[in-house]
Amino acid sequence: MSGQGTVTASKPTRKLHDADLVYLYDGSFEGFLCCVFESFAQHEIPFAVWTPERETSTLYPIQEIDTDPAKARRVFDSFGRKLGAETEYLVTRDFLSGREDKELLLIRFLHLAFALGPGTVKRMGHPDVAPLYEMKKSLDWEVDKFQGFVRFEEQDGMLGAVIHPKNYILPLLRGHFCGRFPEENFMIYDAVHSAVLLYRNHKAELVELAVPLELPPPSEREKQFQALWKQFYNTLEIRARHNEKGRMSHCPKRFWADMVEMQP
């Protein structure tokens, strides 16, 4: 015997790398989770993550990511189990962001979080963590504003409203308006994301539309109510203290198009 022990070569660990390809998925949260699965399986960060609506010409190859519910569930369960409830909440909420690069930001964060552990979400100054709080801040701000600035019209016994948010906030508005109008039938149409929050017979549902929705013009009765509301709004103002900049700071101008009191 030579007296030398047997040396077993260990399998080299694959390093995380930037990949020159684009992930293309269906835009759903389950589809995004499958993008996360693929990124971890291949130890890669894609150049971009697109939906069919955001797809454009590129020199990079495109890899289509199929939505697999089993893979999606496996990834989602790992958030709470390995990263904690706070990370699970932040990732789920930030997926509603309107930022075009949200998927890539979330994937970068998740690679960092799984490497460092549950406390990663507390590292707000880290370049891969800070963008998640920026997205959350934008979402929270819009939710707060739209809770006060949504204006309903009555049509055939149902209240209807149109909004133009930058983020997909209908899921975050559902609890507020269902609790505010529990006995009413109403709908809120998100014209930017072609989706409707529909509440009728004490049941709420989110509906994604294939084509834009066109609401009928207000009835004569509704026009009378709108005229009274405008009169009330104008009567409250003290003309001598009119402050246009102050008004825009409390109610940004991009909300005005959907607010009856701001119409000429």
Side-chain angles (χ1 to χ4, degrees):
M1 296 180 67
S2 64
Q4 295 180 350
T6 302
V7 177
T8 303
S10 60
K11 186 177 181 180
T13 303
R14 296 176 62 188
K15 291 184 178 181
L16 181 66
H17 64 281
D18 292 325
D20 294 332
L21 56 82
V22 174
Y23 287 178
L24 181 65
Y25 79 110
D26 62 6
S28 68
F29 186 59
E30 280 192 335
F32 163 69
L33 294 176
C34 291
C35 291
V36 175
F37 185 97
E38 181 68 15
S39 176
F40 275 80
Q42 302 302 325
H43 299 271
E44 66 187 16
I45 302 289
F47 172 75
V49 182
W50 291 344
T51 63
E53 294 76 18
R54 301 204 308 265
E55 185 177 3
T56 184
S57 58
T58 178
L59 297 177
Y60 291 110
I62 293 179
Q63 181 173 340
E64 295 189 13
I65 306 297
D66 295 328
T67 299
D68 183 332
K71 288 182 180 179
R73 172 51 59 182
R74 180 177 168 186
V75 173
F76 186 76
D77 288 346
S78 69
F79 292 168
R81 187 175 68 254
K82 295 183 178 180
L83 302 180
E86 188 175 356
T87 297
E88 177 186 302
Y89 168 80
L90 187 61
V91 171
T92 304
R93 191 178 183 89
D94 278 355
F95 182 74
L96 302 175
S97 170
R99 282 189 62 157
E100 290 193 354
D101 60 346
K102 65 180 180 183
E103 297 94 346
L104 196 57
L105 294 173
L106 289 170
I107 287 175
R108 287 190 179 278
F109 164 76
L110 287 169
H111 276 283
L112 180 71
F114 276 106
L116 300 183
T120 309
V121 73
K122 303 291 188 182
R123 302 187 179 194
M124 300 181 185
H126 193 285
D128 287 338
V129 181
L132 272 70
Y133 286 95
E134 293 172 4
M135 289 190 286
K136 181 181 181 299
K137 182 179 179 180
S138 174
L139 281 159
D140 292 346
W141 184 88
E142 274 204 329
V143 169
D144 177 69
K145 293 299 182 184
F146 275 105
Q147 285 178 353
F149 294 152
V150 172
R151 298 294 182 258
F152 289 94
E153 296 182 2
E154 184 181 9
Q155 287 286 349
D156 298 326
M158 173 175 277
L159 300 178
V162 180
I163 60 175
H164 291 79
K166 292 182 179 179
N167 304 293
Y168 182 49
I169 60 172
L170 283 183
L172 306 179
L173 293 176
R174 174 167 48 189
H176 172 80
F177 284 102
C178 292
R180 185 177 173 184
F181 304 119
E183 302 303 324
E184 300 284 351
N185 292 330
F186 68 83
M187 59 162 284
I188 301 176
Y189 171 49
D190 181 344
V192 176
H193 302 92
S194 295
V196 171
L197 169 60
L198 184 62
Y199 180 79
R200 55 186 174 182
N201 301 324
H202 302 95
K203 294 182 179 179
E205 60 179 322
L206 287 167
V207 182
E208 296 185 358
L209 306 176
V211 295
L213 179 66
E214 292 188 15
L215 297 180
S219 64
E220 290 301 319
R221 183 171 180 268
E222 175 61 27
K223 289 180 181 178
Q224 292 175 1
F225 279 118
Q226 291 183 7
L228 289 172
W229 173 246
K230 289 182 183 179
Q231 182 179 352
F232 172 74
Y233 176 82
N234 292 327
T235 302
L236 287 179
E237 182 183 22
I238 301 174
R239 293 292 180 180
R241 296 184 180 180
H242 180 81
N243 185 341
E244 192 68 11
K245 289 185 178 179
R247 179 166 71 164
M248 285 190 288
S249 67
H250 291 288
C251 180
K253 209 164 186 177
R254 70 181 178 91
F255 295 104
W256 293 8
D258 298 322
M259 299 178 66
V260 62
E261 63 267 35
M262 297 300 187
Q263 306 309 309

